[in-house]
Amino acid sequence: MFSYRHAFHAGNHADVLKHTVLLAILRHLVQKDAALTVFDTHAGAGLYRLDGDYAQTSAEAADGYLRLATGELPQPVAPALQDYLDMVASFNSKGSHKVYPGSPFIIQRVLAERGRDKLKLFELHPTDTKALVANVAQLEAGRQVAILREDGFEGIKKFLPPPSRRALVLCDPSYELKSDYARVSEMVADALLRFATGTYAVWYPIIPRPQAHDLPKKLKTLANKAGKSWLHATLTVKSSKLLKDDEGAVVRPGLPASGMFIVNPPHTLKDVLKDALPQMVALLRQDNNAASTLEHGG
Ligand code: SAM
């Protein structure tokens, strides 16, 4: 069984990028009246405590969301970043930063304003599924939210195309298994055949591993071959070089960077991120390697 628990990482710089992009996509999609189905193929537990044991162990949120929530912000704050900060704040009482919403709760909060949309959450780990079921139960969202204890890569297939004919698929694996990289591109390739007009948003880590390096290239090729537009945003907060401590032992630097690759992005997303990414760099930088990129095609 996997050992990855998102609770150790909730609110880190990768979540800031992922959840800001996710929210910006959702805001655009719900502008149309027609029903929307959102799939989260790797849902996690849904809600996290930033003051809990897990979060304290790595304190990754301190160099992520908490820097934004408690530090000095540029003025004016980019609208997408402000929207993300307001979203997380809405799960906390004023001035406190104890709760961090994962993707299922961010999505549900946006969809809850409308009655007709559906949210389908896949989660394979028994502990996280149990936590997710308990967390979602508090929402009293009824049939709007479904939790499937299934492999998200496989499980999504039976739902595409959705009856709503409008959908967003968030694919956010832990990449604990090297095979996840290939499974992501296989899933997107298959999904584009089943439902070519869906929006597909993939998060991936930027780490010195060939599979991680190749994934955005593969997704670009897939989107181009399918004649679909795409957007690729990355956020680097520090160097990926291994460091040595005072005793000369090699220290892993932790996750230095991550990316979001979106197929069929909303046409508004590029401009939204053009404003937000440089502010994320300025706020989350840990050394001189901090940077962002934004490219698009199709
Ligand atoms: N999307 C969540 C968020 O943004 O709040 C975080 C998800 S976390 C990065 C990845 C999750 O995927 C973990 O909870 C893990 O247990 C789960 N998982 C791993 N392999 C899976 C699979 N094949 N299908 C569904 N869930 C899986």
Side-chain angles (χ1 to χ4, degrees):
M1 187 37 77
F2 311 112
S3 61
Y4 181 94
R5 304 267 59 75
H6 194 66
F8 287 114
H9 311 284
N12 68 1
H13 62 84
D15 267 6
V16 175
L17 172 69
K18 182 204 321 173
H19 294 153
T20 302
V21 173
L22 170 67
L23 189 53
I25 296 173
L26 285 165
R27 294 288 188 212
H28 179 85
L29 290 175
V30 297
Q31 275 173 21
K32 268 199 188 158
D33 248 2
L36 175 72
T37 309
V38 183
F39 300 92
D40 192 343
T41 60
H42 296 70
L47 270 186
Y48 304 95
R49 299 261 341 165
L50 294 182
D51 58 350
D53 286 349
Y54 283 112
Q56 291 296 326
T57 310
S58 68
E60 289 189 26
D63 276 332
Y65 163 70
L66 291 173
R67 274 205 193 184
L68 278 63
T70 59
E72 202 169 314
L73 294 171
Q75 292 303 329
V77 182
L81 205 52
Q82 187 64 59
D83 195 17
Y84 160 76
L85 288 171
D86 292 346
M87 170 59 78
V88 182
S90 72
F91 287 87
N92 289 280
S93 50
K94 199 170 168 23
S96 99
H97 308 290
K98 290 185 177 158
V99 176
Y100 188 84
S103 49
F105 271 62
I106 293 174
I107 299 165
Q108 197 276 337
R109 185 56 70 84
V110 177
L111 301 189
E113 293 158 17
R114 297 148 47 96
R116 52 206 169 286
D117 305 325
K118 297 267 185 254
L119 171 57
K120 301 209 183 293
L121 306 168
F122 296 92
E123 174 54 52
L124 208 47
H125 197 288
T127 311
D128 280 350
T129 310
K130 210 169 140 197
L132 183 63
V133 168
N135 286 329
V136 167
Q138 293 173 34
L139 292 169
E140 296 182 358
R143 291 161 63 129
Q144 185 181 44
V145 183
I147 298 171
L148 299 105
R149 196 180 148 192
E150 286 177 31
D151 178 308
F153 294 121
E154 223 17 70
I156 184 86
K157 292 182 180 171
K158 59 179 171 289
F159 292 110
L160 298 180
S164 62
R165 294 276 166 179
R166 293 180 72 236
L168 164 64
V169 178
L170 172 67
C171 183
D172 178 29
S174 49
Y175 298 94
E176 199 177 347
L177 303 172
K178 273 191 203 149
S179 55
D180 276 359
Y181 295 93
R183 295 194 75 195
V184 169
S185 39
E186 281 159 21
M187 188 204 83
V188 174
D190 177 81
L192 281 171
L193 290 176
R194 291 172 194 269
F195 181 47
T197 55
T199 296
Y200 299 93
V202 173
W203 178 88
Y204 72 97
I206 302 179
I207 48 174
R209 177 179 273 191
Q211 293 90 341
H213 187 70
D214 289 346
L215 180 57
K217 291 187 186 162
K218 283 191 178 158
L219 293 173
K220 237 175 260 181
T221 306
L222 270 173
N224 286 337
K225 276 195 180 151
K228 298 293 163 192
S229 60
W230 54 267
L231 192 73
H232 181 207
T234 70
L235 173 67
T236 301
V237 298
K238 60 181 169 184
S239 163
S240 62
K241 287 207 179 92
L242 295 178
L243 305 167
K244 293 208 171 154
D245 67 13
D246 294 344
E247 273 104 56
V250 173
V251 182
R252 294 206 167 274
L255 182 68
S258 70
M260 282 293 281
F261 194 98
I262 303 110
V263 182
N264 292 327
H267 68 274
T268 46
L269 191 61
K270 179 164 63 78
D271 285 343
V272 164
L273 295 182
K274 220 191 257 171
D275 290 341
L277 283 170
Q279 292 195 350
M280 287 187 206
V281 175
L283 290 160
L284 299 172
R285 61 181 297 126
Q286 292 184 36
D287 65 26
N288 287 338
N289 293 279
S292 65
T293 63
L294 185 61
E295 46 170 355
H296 62 100

